[in-house]
Amino acid sequence: MSPEFAAPLLAIETHPLQTTIVAVFAVVYLGMFLGGLPKLKLDRSGVALLGGIAVVGIGAMTTEEAARAVHLPTILLLFAFMVVSAQMRLGGFYTEVTRRVAALPLAEPWLLGALIFVAGALSAVFSNDIVCLAMTPVVARLCIERRLDPVIFLVGLACAANIGSAATLIGNPQNMLIGSVLQLHFADYLWRALPPVGLGLLALWAWLVFAPRRLTLPPPAAPVDEALPEFDRLQTAKGLAVATVLLVVFLCTDWPREVAALVGAGVLLLSRRFHSSHVMGFVDWELLVLFVGLFVVNHAFDGTGLAAIAVAWLAGHGIHLGDSGPLFAVGVGLSNLVSNVPAVMLLLPHLKTPEAGITLALVSTLAGNLLLVGSIANLIVVDLARKQGIAIDWRQHLRIGLPVTALTLAIAWGWLIL
């Protein structure tokens, strides 16, 4: 081993603080893999928060350094769009759109196609998790009332939301992070990502309609457990107006996206109908905590030099993370090991070009369809379906998720190498 590689390893072996940082990092990412820590009531956000507290507590960095490690533009952009999505959800927009699609006099294949298109389009602007939260109860009731296969419709909904969210730099948290850190141009990314996303949604529909499958009957009709929000035209129009203005700003100006989004969120908080505390109740604070904790832990780990050693070792063997092929493979693997947000946070510091950022955004998002635990959107759909008496296990998801992931990744790879 060359001296420049050996020196950081020797420092870790002889410095207890460096060893402790590595141990904290390993435990945190074990928690990302497992979804928590054994025998402790901790989810991924709790593990990340404790990891951040640990590296500050052991003196690996000061609180000021920990604050500087957090990429504030990403946090602000994520928070602002959570407020926008909360406005749309409270106004009953998602529920009303889903109800209108469900009421269309279409045969099952075309109804499925309409739901896939709507879920994908909404997820590109308002986030896949929010869309799944709002649409799942209505789609579940649709399956029960019309005696449609709930596995096909609900897993299709989750897959469509994940695929559609890859179309923009605001469709999901990892894309927000990539776009913010690498300063990707919104319109450039959209034109690059839109064709593979559109083809991916079409491939999803074709697989669900034409692939051999075992019919799953929905449960008998039962009372709806939770009340869905009433449709409010004024509040919905207000939210849509702000979202439209933000999209125009992103596409046509260089105004920082996080600043524009915060202004839009501020406008929506000025409401005579929705109390600010009610809107804030729909903000996913746990996801924000996950980001903050991982920023701090990853920054401390980068200081050990081990990440640089690993990247240099790979480069010495002809594997460059900035190249499409290796990044594609590593992105798919890590996204299914530790989930896509932690995977992106690990890989992003080693990427420098817009092309690498586009590849990572597409790959990390599309890979989330492979396993049930690969995306929060998948878990949201399964959990809400269970409340309607519809059970979807990991095997049922895998029978759809595996081929759909393979098809969409193949489409993305083909598009990227053109």
Side-chain angles (χ1 to χ4, degrees):
M1 181 179 291
S2 61
E4 63 268 23
F5 292 173
L9 287 176
L10 183 60
I12 289 173
E13 292 174 358
T14 57
H15 200 302
L17 180 60
Q18 300 286 71
T19 304
T20 306
I21 292 172
V22 174
V24 170
F25 176 84
V27 170
V28 167
Y29 275 86
L30 176 64
M32 297 302 106
F33 171 70
L34 297 175
L37 292 178
K39 298 184 179 180
L40 294 175
K41 299 294 185 180
L42 289 173
D43 58 9
R44 286 189 174 96
S45 297
V47 173
L49 176 60
L50 284 182
I53 293 171
V55 296
V56 173
I58 63 177
M61 61 175 66
T62 64
T63 52
E64 291 80 7
E65 290 170 334
R68 288 194 295 271
V70 177
H71 195 262
L72 189 58
T74 300
I75 298 296
L76 295 177
L77 181 62
L78 189 55
F79 166 77
F81 265 91
M82 287 177 180
V83 173
V84 175
S85 293
Q87 170 80 18
M88 304 304 295
R89 191 175 174 195
L90 287 169
F93 169 72
Y94 305 116
T95 302
E96 182 66 15
V97 169
T98 311
R99 280 173 172 160
R100 292 195 179 191
V101 173
L104 294 173
L106 298 174
E108 180 178 346
W110 305 113
L111 180 61
L112 179 60
L115 285 170
I116 287 173
F117 172 78
V118 168
L122 290 177
S123 296
V125 181
F126 298 112
S127 176
N128 52 350
D129 296 348
I130 298 297
V131 168
C132 287
L133 272 169
M135 291 185 68
T136 298
V138 182
V139 174
R141 296 306 304 174
L142 167 69
C143 294
I144 292 172
E145 291 168 3
R146 293 202 190 182
R147 304 300 287 168
L148 301 173
D149 188 335
V151 174
I152 294 297
F153 274 79
L154 291 170
V155 176
L157 168 64
C159 290
N162 288 327
I163 296 169
S165 72
T168 68
L169 292 173
I170 56 172
N172 55 58
Q174 64 268 20
N175 280 19
M176 291 184 187
L177 174 61
I178 294 168
S180 185
V181 171
L182 294 181
Q183 293 294 297
L184 299 183
H185 193 275
F186 191 89
D188 289 345
Y189 176 84
L190 176 64
W191 307 135
R192 292 283 297 276
L194 200 55
V197 167
L199 291 173
L201 290 172
L202 182 61
L204 168 64
W205 175 79
W207 179 264
L208 294 177
V209 170
F210 297 110
R213 56 187 170 95
R214 184 172 55 195
L215 180 65
T216 304
L217 292 177
V224 181
D225 292 329
E226 59 177 311
L228 298 175
E230 295 293 331
F231 181 55
D232 188 317
R233 292 181 182 276
L234 178 60
Q235 296 301 324
T236 294
K238 183 179 175 182
L240 285 175
V242 169
T244 301
V245 170
L246 287 178
L247 285 177
V248 172
V249 168
F250 295 162
L251 288 168
C252 303
T253 76
D254 293 325
W255 196 12
R257 287 193 287 272
E258 68 278 5
V259 177
L262 279 174
V263 172
V267 170
L268 293 180
L269 288 174
L270 296 172
S271 173
R272 297 173 62 89
R273 173 72 185 276
F274 299 141
H275 196 283
S276 59
S277 63
H278 197 188
V279 176
M280 293 296 183
F282 284 92
V283 171
D284 191 346
W285 299 104
E286 290 190 2
L287 181 59
L288 295 176
V289 167
L290 174 71
F291 266 77
V292 170
L294 288 181
F295 273 129
V296 174
V297 171
N298 287 353
H299 184 76
F301 180 73
D302 285 341
T304 67
L306 273 180
I309 291 172
V311 172
W313 183 87
L314 289 172
H317 289 76
I319 303 173
H320 300 275
L321 280 183
D323 295 342
S324 295
L327 181 58
F328 207 93
V330 174
V332 172
L334 273 181
S335 294
N336 281 286
L337 278 175
V338 298
S339 187
N340 41 29
V341 168
V344 165
M345 296 184 80
L346 278 177
L347 293 171
L348 197 52
H350 310 291
L351 307 182
K352 306 300 180 186
T353 65
E355 289 74 19
I358 292 169
T359 299
L360 183 59
L362 286 171
V363 168
S364 62
T365 302
L366 297 178
N369 281 329
L370 178 59
L371 301 176
L372 184 58
V373 296
S375 167
I376 298 298
N378 301 339
L379 298 175
I380 288 171
V381 169
V382 170
D383 182 58
L384 293 179
R386 186 181 300 114
K387 293 179 180 179
Q388 299 285 349
I390 300 171
I392 302 174
D393 61 30
W394 68 269
R395 295 180 184 85
Q396 292 171 306
H397 181 275
L398 186 64
R399 280 197 288 269
I400 296 173
L402 178 59
V404 167
T405 302
L407 286 169
T408 53
L409 287 175
I411 291 169
W413 174 249
W415 179 256
L416 289 171
I417 64 175
L418 284 177

